[in-house]
Amino acid sequence: MRAELKNKIKNLYDADYNLWVLETVKQLENRDLDSLDWDNLIEEVLDLSKRDKRKIESLLMRLIEHLLILQYWEGENERNRGHWQREITNFRKQIKRLLADSPSLKSHLEMKLDLCYNDGRELASQHSQLPLNTFPEEAIATLEKILDDHWFANT
């Protein structure tokens, strides 16, 4: 009987993810550890960390993109400066909220800074239609500086 229930729950993961989550929560609340779909639960918990890492990397990439656009897209600077500064502030706030909830993500960002910078650089080039070599190959600042609320590159 117990094995049949476990198989039903494992199948539920593939058939109806939302219902699987609700059932898993019930089992956890009831401390029914024997009925848990441990393999999928472990996978989901690990994926929570991966999602936060992907999210914070994406935010950093977009932050860098906007810092580069603000600094190097001279033809549009006057007209769009306020918009880009608002976007920069927005991305910084989102990153800081994630870091407040999970301070260990800061070391992840430090490890991924070069990758995020290169991706942000490519996006800035595509957005501005400026040649990629308009933007420095090396990061324009440290992570600390990039996250500094009062720093907007050379504006």
Side-chain angles (χ1 to χ4, degrees):
M1 179 70 177
R2 181 73 72 191
E4 191 176 304
L5 180 61
K6 278 187 170 184
N7 282 338
K8 180 181 175 189
I9 292 169
K10 277 190 180 239
N11 292 336
L12 188 59
Y13 181 82
D14 293 324
D16 188 338
Y17 177 78
N18 184 60
L19 187 56
W20 175 86
V21 169
L22 296 175
E23 290 298 317
T24 300
V25 168
K26 275 189 214 171
Q27 292 165 339
L28 289 168
E29 288 173 339
N30 294 330
R31 309 295 192 263
D32 183 8
L33 304 181
D34 292 333
S35 298
L36 283 171
D37 175 6
W38 283 103
D39 293 337
N40 286 320
L41 180 58
I42 290 167
E43 185 178 320
E44 288 299 315
V45 171
L46 284 172
D47 195 50
L48 292 172
S49 173
K50 291 176 189 174
R51 278 186 243 165
D52 280 350
K53 287 176 179 178
R54 285 189 300 267
K55 182 176 182 176
I56 204 164
E57 285 176 32
S58 177
L59 290 168
L60 181 60
M61 177 185 66
R62 297 296 313 275
L63 169 57
I64 290 167
E65 172 195 4
H66 283 76
L67 284 167
L68 289 170
I69 286 173
L70 181 63
Q71 184 172 358
Y72 291 97
W73 196 7
E74 295 172 6
E76 290 288 317
N77 197 313
E78 283 302 314
R79 193 172 72 165
N80 290 308
R81 178 181 299 147
H83 166 75
W84 293 326
Q85 287 178 337
R86 179 179 51 87
E87 290 293 304
I88 289 166
T89 300
N90 177 36
F91 292 129
R92 283 178 174 152
K93 287 183 180 299
Q94 290 183 63
I95 290 170
K96 287 178 181 179
R97 283 191 185 115
L98 280 170
L99 290 175
D101 288 343
S102 300
S104 64
L105 286 175
K106 188 163 188 181
S107 63
H108 176 75
L109 273 188
E110 289 167 348
M111 287 187 328
K112 296 294 185 171
L113 178 60
D114 290 339
L115 176 66
C116 292
Y117 178 79
N118 287 325
D119 290 346
R121 180 176 175 251
E122 288 177 18
L123 290 173
S125 175
Q126 289 174 358
H127 182 106
S128 65
Q129 295 296 294
L130 294 170
L132 186 60
N133 66 4
T134 302
F135 308 99
E137 287 185 30
E138 298 292 319
I140 59 172
T142 63
L143 181 62
E144 293 298 323
K145 194 79 142 165
I146 289 169
L147 296 178
D148 181 339
D149 290 332
H150 304 292
W151 186 75
F152 289 96
N154 292 336
T155 59

